[in-house]
């Protein structure tokens, strides 16, 4: 026992020594090389609006972080011809105690404007944000909508040659989103600025960007016209699969996979595999499909939708099929859980993200924010029109 | 205002000083923000920066001057002896505390926007400087109260203040950089501040330190700085010994050098660790 303590103590002393020398202490992080981005080469012309598309973990955010100099690349070279402003988040650096007026100057400075530039655009910013009455109120008393509007207004009036935008439009009301998209279009077509735009919202990308880049697992797959990239993106990878090493001491979900091909024709078909050190009597498996705002839209489990003759099991796979799923075309995420008759053991939230294309002949142009998540064939009767 | 930016590994190191200059406006505005929000939503506001040194001075005067009956220097009341030392110490201590936590409390900025990260701890040290000047005003009032006229050399205090600034920036940068990756330093800083108060001549005069400990005692850069402040404000207080002063200058600049280079080395990975 004493030896163990002595060893520990020595270990701590050694790590402190290494920290002071500026080295990575051993045993703190296991060193494993991982490239978030590799072999990504592309050119963007002045005035282009380019969308960056890819699944979670494809390296989109890392690419933006490297481009905006937040993290330094370990190798490679990037040339940017002009001032860069990046909007990776709405209202970065806003201080809740400061007033709207003060925050405009603060945020402007953080995004790279100098005082003179902010002053010159001040009225325009206030106008765009629609907050004249609350200019001298601390922003902590703002509603979240006002906050976002003010934040975007500052960002939209930046004067960079290159604007980098990450999913910031996923907030605010639809009206304001439209206004933002319009502003971004203006900025690029009227003033010749370059815009790089990352979003999971394919509809927004297709509206804003003429050209797109597809990333997957840190690699650039393709660059080309947006409509072509989007359709390739949706077709890529017939099965989308999640796997993890189970914890042998408790029941865990070891794999989830979804048939990507069927998704394109309106069916949802997925499989959940699990492992348990003891028998689950009976196993209770469930799923929830969330829309991209995180709201649940569809779900079931063995208790609500009782399958027949479900016997005790300690491992195996369950397949679920939802033919002609009553959803609109959009991006959804899947959460799954595992339990037995008395409790839940494992919950994997938003484990897969998938794009679903409805088979029903419904006009999908409007997007689910406007028309809701579920769909169905509706019979119209116009006979009483005169 | 067109500029070409090249991003390459090691690039930010090359342009370190140039970038720092280019982003000076952000530095002003962040300092302004820190000062502005400092005492928001406190009832007595700015009075806090007066009350803190005043109370500490009171306690030290009672404990060291009245109870332990330690000798004062020259003709000054013990309270002024303590207060003149309190000034640089309080500045150093709050600079250290504020800067070491500054990057973490601004983590949203670090992970979302690029700018030279050195700006953040520097601006929090500057905020402490404001407190310093408020406390300095209080020293004037204290002298009026005791009917004490300071010597003319009091005007030389900025020299020692500069030294204190160098020391707080140096130690501050070092701790800030380390704190981002190793949160252990969050617990180390209050300890340094508490411990430092007792190994620096704040509550007592340097004269009571036996010669055989002088070398180790002098390694603390605040010793020379505090003795310097005392010399400035107090009649008959001897000028700090040359060895004390030399070690204060050497240790402070060494800390600044180590602090900046350590900061630059760790800066690249701040966004990943924060």
């Amino acid at each position: 026992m004493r030896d163990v303590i002595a060893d520990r103590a020595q270990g701590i002393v050694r790590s402190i020594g290494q920290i002071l020398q500026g080295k990575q202490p051993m045993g703190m992080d296991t060193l494993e090389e991982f490239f978030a981005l590799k072999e990504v080469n592309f050119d963007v012309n002045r005035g282009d609006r380019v969308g960056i598309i890819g699944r979670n973990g494809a390296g989109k955010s890392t690419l933006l972080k490297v481009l905006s100099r937040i993290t330094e690349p370990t190798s490679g070279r990037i040339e940017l011809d002009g001032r860069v402003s990046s909007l990776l988040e709405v209202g970065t650096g806003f201080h809740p105690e400061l007033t709207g007026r003060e925050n405009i100057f603060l945020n402007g400075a953080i995004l790279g404007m100098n005082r003179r530039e902010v002053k010159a655009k001040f009225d325009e910013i206030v106008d765009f944000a629609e907050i004249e009455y609350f200019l001298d109120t601390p922003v902590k008393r703002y509603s979240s909508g006002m906050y976002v509007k003010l934040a975007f207004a500052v960002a939209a009036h930046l004067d960079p040659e290159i604007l980098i935008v990450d999913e910031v439009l996923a907030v605010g009301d639809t009206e304001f989103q439209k206004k933002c998209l319009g502003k971004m279009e203006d900025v690029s077509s009227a003033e010749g600025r370059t815009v790089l735009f990352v979003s999971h919202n394919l509809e927004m990308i297709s509206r804003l960007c003429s050209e797109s880049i597809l990333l997957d697992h840190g690699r650039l797959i393709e660059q080309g016209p947006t409509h072509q990239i989007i359709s390739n993106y949706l077709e890529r990878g017939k099965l989308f699969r999640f796997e993890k090493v189970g914890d042998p001491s408790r029941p865990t979900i070891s794999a989830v996979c979804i048939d990507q091909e069927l998704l394109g024709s309106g069916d949802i078909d997925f499989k959940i595999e699990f492992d348990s050190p003891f028998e689950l009597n009976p196993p209770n498996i469930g799923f929830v499909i969330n829309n991209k705002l995180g709201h649940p839209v569809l779900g079931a489990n063995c208790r609500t939708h009782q399958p027949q003759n479900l016997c005790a099991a300690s491992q195996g796979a369950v397949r679920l099929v939802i033919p002609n799923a009553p959803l609109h075309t959009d991006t959804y995420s899947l959460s799954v859980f595992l339990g037995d008759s008395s409790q839940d053991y494992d919950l994997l939230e938003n484990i897969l993200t998938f794009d679903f294309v409805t088979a029903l002949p419904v006009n999908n142009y409007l997007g689910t924010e406007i028309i809701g998540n579920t769909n169905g064939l509706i019979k119209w009767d116009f006979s009483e029109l005169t | 205002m067109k500029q070409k930016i090249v991003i390459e590994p090691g690039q930010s190191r090359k342009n370190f000083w140039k970038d720092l200059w280019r982003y000076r406006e952000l530095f002003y505005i962040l300092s302004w923000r820190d000062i502005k929000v400092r005492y928001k939503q406190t009832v007595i506001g700015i009075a806090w920066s007066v009350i803190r040194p005043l109370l500490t001075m009171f306690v030290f005067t009672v404990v060291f001057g009245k109870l332990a009956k330690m000798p004062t220097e020259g003709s000054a009341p013990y309270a002024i002896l303590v207060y003149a030392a309190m000034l640089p110490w309080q500045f150093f201590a709050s600079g250290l505390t504020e800067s070491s936590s500054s990057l973490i409390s601004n983590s949203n900025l670090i992970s979302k926007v690029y700018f030279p990260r050195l700006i953040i701890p520097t601006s929090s040290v500057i905020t402490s400087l404001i407190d310093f000047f408020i406390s300095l005003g209080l020293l004037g009032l204290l002298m009026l109260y005791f009917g004490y006229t300071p010597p003319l050399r009091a005007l030389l205090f900025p020299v020692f203040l500069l030294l204190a600034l160098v020391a707080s920036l140096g130690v501050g940068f070092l701790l800030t950089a380390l704190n981002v990756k190793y949160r252990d330093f969050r617990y180390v800083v209050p300890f340094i501040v508490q411990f430092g108060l007792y190994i620096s001549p704040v509550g007592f005069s340097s004269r009571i330190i036996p010669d055989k400990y002088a070398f180790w005692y002098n390694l603390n850069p605040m010793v020379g700085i505090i003795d310097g402040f005392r010399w400035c404000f107090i009649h008959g207080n001897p000028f700090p010994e040359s060895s004390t002063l030399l070690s204060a200058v050497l240790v402070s600049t060494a800390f600044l050098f180590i602090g900046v280079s350590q900061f630059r080395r760790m800066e690249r990975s701040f966004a990943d660790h924060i």
Side-chain angles (χ1 to χ4, degrees), chain B residues 163-195:
Chain B
L163 210 54
L165 187 66
V166 169
S168 5
L169 285 176
V171 182
F173 290 156
L174 184 64
L175 291 175
T176 311
L178 290 170
N179 200 14
V180 171
K181 191 160 178 192
Y182 310 104
R183 298 289 154 92
D184 312 63
F185 285 89
R186 191 167 41 179
Y187 304 101
V188 174
V189 173
F191 182 71
I192 294 177
V193 168
Q194 204 171 32
F195 190 64

Side-chain angles (χ1 to χ4, degrees), chain A residues 177-245:
Chain A
Q177 284 189 12
K178 266 193 204 149
K179 198 168 160 184
C180 295
L181 274 183
K183 180 76 195 173
M184 275 164 60
E185 264 179 271
D186 274 4
V187 159
S188 111
S189 50
E191 299 165 41
R193 307 201 189 292
T194 312
V195 179
L196 287 180
F197 182 50
V198 163
S199 177
H200 279 122
N201 188 330
L202 297 177
E203 191 202 333
M204 266 190 191
I205 290 206
S206 66
R207 268 169 54 186
L208 185 71
C209 309
S210 50
E211 198 180 316
S212 286
I213 287 170
L214 177 58
L215 289 182
D216 192 24
H217 289 98
R219 281 163 202 273
L220 186 137
I221 306 297
E222 208 181 353
Q223 179 177 15
T226 299
H227 62 93
Q228 182 193 327
I229 299 290
I230 287 183
S231 63
N232 287 359
Y233 165 67
L234 291 177
E235 273 167 28
R236 274 179 67 79
K238 297 260 187 285
L239 285 178
F240 191 44
R241 199 177 162 82
F242 166 84
E243 267 174 278
K244 76 169 180 192
V245 182

Side-chain angles (χ1 to χ4, degrees), chain B residues 46-109:
Chain B
I46 202 91
W48 278 115
S49 57
V50 173
I51 288 174
R52 276 193 308 176
L54 211 58
L55 282 181
T56 324
M57 176 212 68
F58 182 71
V59 170
F60 274 46
T61 309
V62 170
V63 172
F64 289 100
K66 294 277 185 293
L67 300 181
K69 296 208 167 43
M70 291 203 184
T72 179
E73 293 286 349
S75 59
Y78 206 81
I80 290 187
L81 182 83
V82 170
Y83 198 85
M86 227 30 243
L87 280 177
W89 174 258
Q90 196 87 46
F91 167 60
F92 179 74
S94 74
L96 220 59
T97 316
E98 300 282 329
S99 66
S100 64
S101 63
S102 61
L103 279 182
I104 293 170
S105 51
N106 283 297
S107 58
N108 60 335
L109 284 187

Side-chain angles (χ1 to χ4, degrees), chain B residues 22-37:
Chain B
R22 198 149 67 192
Y23 279 85
R24 62 191 181 282
E25 187 136 352
L26 183 61
F27 168 69
Y28 304 143
I29 207 154
L30 284 180
S31 308
W32 165 80
R33 177 199 69 176
D34 286 348
I35 293 163
K36 185 109 190 174
V37 303

Side-chain angles (χ1 to χ4, degrees), chain B residues 133-209:
Chain B
F133 282 109
I134 294 172
S135 308
L136 187 69
L138 200 63
L139 177 65
L141 294 180
L142 212 59
M143 285 174 168
L144 276 181
Y145 173 78
F146 283 106
Y148 177 84
T149 333
L152 196 62
R153 59 182 188 234
L155 295 174
L156 287 177
F157 87 88
V159 177
F160 295 98
L161 178 60
L162 186 70
L163 210 54
L165 187 66
V166 169
S168 5
L169 285 176
V171 182
F173 290 156
L174 184 64
L175 291 175
T176 311
L178 290 170
N179 200 14
V180 171
K181 191 160 178 192
Y182 310 104
R183 298 289 154 92
D184 312 63
F185 285 89
R186 191 167 41 179
Y187 304 101
V188 174
V189 173
F191 182 71
I192 294 177
V193 168
Q194 204 171 32
F195 190 64
L197 183 59
Y198 295 102
I199 59 165
S200 307
V202 177
F204 50 85
S205 158
S206 280
R207 266 194 306 162
I208 65 166
I209 302 295

Side-chain angles (χ1 to χ4, degrees), chain B residues 194-230:
Chain B
Q194 204 171 32
F195 190 64
L197 183 59
Y198 295 102
I199 59 165
S200 307
V202 177
F204 50 85
S205 158
S206 280
R207 266 194 306 162
I208 65 166
I209 302 295
D211 277 348
K212 57 179 173 175
Y213 300 127
F215 175 76
W216 300 107
Y217 176 67
N218 283 341
L219 276 184
N220 171 6
M222 289 313 285
V223 171
I225 295 169
I226 290 173
D227 282 353
F229 265 83
R230 284 223 170 105

Side-chain angles (χ1 to χ4, degrees), chain B residues 260-274:
Chain B
V260 172
S261 59
Q262 181 73 10
F263 195 93
R264 289 181 65 178
R265 190 155 55 172
M266 299 185 75
E267 185 179 40
R268 287 182 300 157
S269 56
F270 279 170
D272 302 327
H273 288 298
I274 208 150

Side-chain angles (χ1 to χ4, degrees), chain A residues 94-100 103 137-142 147 150:
Chain A
F94 262 40
H95 199 288
E97 297 284 353
L98 297 178
T99 66
N103 267 309
T137 311
V139 297
K140 66 175 175 183
R141 304 200 206 289
Y142 279 26
Y147 187 92
L150 178 63

